[in-house]
Amino acid sequence: TSGSQTITVKVKGMVCGECESKIKAAIGKIQGVTHVTADAKTGTAVIQVKNKSTVPVEKVTKAIKDAGFEVVS
């Protein structure tokens, strides 16, 4: 989508497809998120948002933590 921005985070503890699904579901609930991909092999989640100013990284980090995972820098 035009005008979308990307946030990429490293996720510790995401080791399988079920983990990917939990992370996608948790981040997908955030208003302003347009698409989420999670990859257990690389341990990354890539989040497409309409505007980074309306979806701060802290909100993404909290959703991941609430789903039982840890964000690493």
Side-chain angles (χ1 to χ4, degrees):
T1 48
S2 75
S4 71
Q5 297 173 312
T6 304
I7 300 169
T8 304
V9 291
K10 292 284 279 177
V11 182
K12 185 176 178 182
M14 177 173 53
V15 294
C16 64
E18 188 176 330
C19 298
E20 292 172 351
S21 295
K22 285 181 183 178
I23 290 187
K24 287 193 267 188
I27 298 170
K29 291 177 186 172
I30 300 170
Q31 192 170 357
V33 170
T34 56
H35 185 72
V36 181
T37 56
D39 188 337
K41 286 184 184 139
T42 62
T44 57
V46 180
I47 303 101
Q48 297 284 330
V49 298
K50 290 178 187 168
N51 188 331
K52 281 186 185 178
S53 65
T54 59
V55 184
V57 175
E58 295 78 22
K59 201 177 257 192
V60 172
T61 301
K62 184 179 182 327
I64 291 169
K65 285 182 179 174
D66 289 349
F69 301 91
E70 188 180 338
V71 175
V72 290
S73 50

